[in-house]
Amino acid sequence: MMGYEYIGITVLWVFLYGYLIVASVDFGAGFFAYYARRTNKDHIMNKLISRYLSPVWEVTNVFFVFFFVGLVGFFPDMAYYFGQALLIPGSIAIVLLAIRGSFYAFESYGSKNNSVFMFLYGATGLLIPASLSTALTISEGGFLNVTDDGVRLQITELLLSPYSWSVVLLAIVSVLYISSMFLSYYAHKAGDKDALSLLRKYALFWSIPTIIASMTVFIAMSQHNPEHFDRLFDYWWVFGLSVLFYLIAVFLVYSEKLYGFAFIAVMLQFFFAFFGYGVSKLPYLLYPHVTISESVTPDAMGLALVVAFIGGLLLLIPSLVMLMRMFLFDADYIKGNK
Amino acid sequence: MIELDSVMLSRMLTAMTLIFHIIFATVGVGVPVMISIAELIGIKKKDKYYSLMAKRWARGFTIIVAVGVVTGTAIGLQLSLLWPSFMQLAGKVIALPLFMETFAFFFEAIFLGAYLYTWDRFKNPMTHWWLSIPIIIGGTLSAFFITTVNAFMNTPAGFDVEDGVINAINPLAAMFNPATPTKVFHVVSSAYMTSAAILATIAAVTYLVKRDQEYAKRALKLTVTATLVFSISTAVAGDLSAKFLAEYQPEKLAAGEWHFETEEGADLVLFGTLNDDNEITGEIRLPKALSFLAYGNFDAEVTGLDKIPDDEEPPLFIHYFFDLMVSIGMFVLLVSGLYVLMTYVKKWNPHNKLMLWALTTIGPLSMLAIEFGWVYAEIGRQPWIMRGFMKVAEGATTSPNVGAMFLLFFLLYFVLGIGTLVVLRKMFKDHPAEVELEHLYTEVGKGGER
C-alpha cells in the first residue's frame, strides 16, 4: 500500500511536468516573438502565437498555481522553509508572471505595437524559467541557513554556485527548444510554410545547447550533492531513454516529417529526464531538512486531498480534451478560418 | 506609533494585495452571470442589442479576469511567503478547500478560453451559451472554497490541539465551519450585486452622455433589476451574518457596534465618533435595535467588550467601516428599487436626469462597500490570524526584506491599475455600441474574432 505522501508527490510532479511543457511553449514563444520583431519577421510569427496562446494562457497559469497550492497542502512543512527563504525570488517571479499575464490581457488593444511591452514579454520568457528553476536548485540543499530565528537564503552562495548556474542555463535553453519544437508542429499543421521553415531552424539550433546543458547539470550535481548524484546513477536507464527520445525528435524535425511525433518525442524526452531526476531526489524534498515522510500532512487530510484530486480530474480531463480539440486540433481554427 | 516590523509590513502587503485583488475577483465572480443572462435573452428574444451587450461585457471582462488571475496568483504565493508558520499549521487542516479552489479555477479557465474565443463558431447559438454555465459555476465555486478558508480563520473547527500538536483532523468539518454558510452567502451575493451595479453605472453614463441610448435602455433595465434582486439577498445575508457574529464572534460585533457593556435590550449605534475617553458623540441611537439585529428579539442580551480580554479586543475604528458598508448597501437597494418601480408605472420617466445620476454612483459605491466590508471582517478578527489559536505575530515571516517587497508590489499594482483603466477606456470609447452593431450586421459571418 502506497502512502499518501507518494501519491501526493506523484500528483505534484505530474503537474509540475505539465507546467514545464505548457509554460515552456508560452515562455519560448515570447522570446521568439520579440526576436522575430527585431529581425523584422514578426508578421510570420505573431498570428501563429496569438491564435494558440491567447485562449490557453490562463490554463498554463493554473498548472503553476496547482503545483504550489498542492505542495503546501500535501507537505505543509515546505511552506515554512521555502516561504521564509524565498520571499525575494518568489516575489520577483510573481511580478514577472504578472507582467506576462497582463500582456495577454492587453495585447489585442495596443500593447503588441509597443516595443517596451514586446521587450518585457520576450524578457520575462527567459527570466521566469530562470527564477523558478532556482527553487529546484535550493531543494538540493546547501543554500539555506536554518536557525531558531528562522530560515535565510544564502544568496551569495547561490550566485557563486556552478550548480545553480547550470540549472538556470538548462532551464532557459530547454524552454527555447521545447517551444520551437511545439511551434514547428503548430506551423506545420497550419500549413504556414514560412513560419515552419523559421521555427524548424530555431528548433534544430536550440537542440544542441539543450543536450550540452543537460550534461553540465550532471557534472555540477556530482560536485554539489554527491549523494543525490549517486542515486541518479541508479536510474541511468531512465536518462538513457530520455536521450533516445531526444535523438528521435531531432531526427524527425531534421528530416522534415512527422512533426506531431517529433513533439511527442520531445515530451517523452523531458518526461523521463524529469521523473528520473524526481525519483532520485527522494526521500528528500528539501535536502537535508525536509523528507517526504516526515513532512506529509496528516492521514485524514491526505485522503481528502487524494479524493478531491480524483474528483477534480474527472472534471478536468474531458474539459481539457474539449479545449485542445477547439484550439489545438481543429485544423480550420489553426489555419485561421474560424 | 506603529512599528514597521516584519509583522506589520506583512500585514500591510497582504492587505494591499487583497484590496487590489478583491476588485477584480468580485467582478470576476459576478459579471459572467450578467453576460450569460444577456446572451440568453439575446438568443431567446432575437434581440441583437442583448447579444451585443453580452459580447461587449465579455470583452471588458477578459481584461478584468487577466488582472484577477495575476493578482490571485500573487496572493496565493504570498500566503506562504509572508505567513509561513501559519501555513505550516493551517495547511494541515485547510489544504482541502485551497486545493479545490484551484480545481474550480482550472475549470473556469478552460471554459473561459473556450467561451471568449468561439463567438459565432457554432451553428446553434445555444451551444455557445452553454459554455458560459461552467464559467459561472467555476467562478462561484472559487469564491465558495476560498471563503471557507477565510471562514476557518474566523471560527477554526475540525481539529484538536494537544500540547501544541494538531491532531484528529476532519477536513470537511474545517471547511464547513460555523462561519462558512453566512460568509459564503454574503460574499457571493454581494459579488453579484456589485457586478450588476457596475454594469448599471456604465449603462447610466452611456445614456447620460447621449450615446447608444437604445442599447443603454436595455442594459439599464437588465442590470438595475439584477442589482435590486442581489442587493435584497445581500441584505438578508448581512442580517444573518450579524446573528452569526453575536453567537460566535461577539468581540467583532461589539467592537463594530461600539457596544461596551454587556446588557439586555442593547441600542444600535449609527455613525458618531469616539472621543479620547472612548465616549461616543454625535451618534444616532436606535433603542434596543442591536439586540434585535443580533438575536431577532429586542430584549436579548448582547455581549459587550467588557467580557473580552483587553489584548484580544479588535480596534474600535472598524465601526466606521461597518456603518459605511451598511449605508451603501441600503442606498443601492433604494435607488435600484426606485428605478424598477418607475419602469412599471407608465406615467413616470425612469430615465430622468436625477435617477440616472443616482445610478451612476451605485457601481463604484458597491465596490467601496465590498472593500469596507472586508476591512471590517479582517481587522475585526485582530489580533488573531486563527481566532483562538494563533495570533498574527506568530504567523508572520521573519524575513527582513518585507518592506522592499511592499514597494515592489505597490509599483506593480499601480502599473496594472493604470493599464487596466487605459485599456478599458480605449476599448469602449473608440467603439460605440451603435457603430459596432452596424458593423456586426453588415459583415455577417466574419464575426469570429471576439
Side-chain angles (χ1 to χ4, degrees), chain B residues 249-267:
Chain B
Q249 276 183 299
E251 75 280 9
K252 190 191 275 187
L253 187 71
E257 302 297 342
W258 287 347
H259 181 56
F260 298 109
E261 308 291 331
T262 303
E263 61 183 351
E264 290 173 10
D267 296 351

Side-chain angles (χ1 to χ4, degrees), chain A residues 84 87 152, chain B residues 3-14 81-83 392-393 395-403:
Chain A
Q84 297 211 61
L87 179 66
R152 293 280 178 277
Chain B
E3 198 193 341
L4 284 184
D5 55 359
S6 281
V7 179
M8 191 61 205
L9 286 165
S10 296
R11 286 177 64 191
M12 284 164 58
L13 177 47
T14 308
L81 295 175
L82 296 173
W83 310 100
V392 170
T397 182
T398 58
S399 169
N401 302 308
V402 188

Side-chain angles (χ1 to χ4, degrees), chain A residues 228-280:
Chain A
H228 187 178
F229 183 71
D230 287 345
R231 282 196 304 271
L232 282 177
F233 269 89
D234 297 344
Y235 298 94
W236 64 269
W237 56 274
V238 180
F239 296 100
L241 280 172
S242 174
V243 174
L244 177 69
F245 281 109
Y246 166 79
L247 293 173
I248 292 172
V250 175
F251 175 75
L252 287 178
V253 171
Y254 178 75
S255 39
E256 298 184 44
K257 57 189 172 194
L258 299 175
Y259 287 96
F261 281 104
F263 189 68
I264 290 173
V266 171
M267 285 173 64
L268 287 171
Q269 173 199 338
F270 281 89
F271 180 86
F272 285 112
F274 195 67
F275 277 78
Y277 166 76
V279 75
S280 63

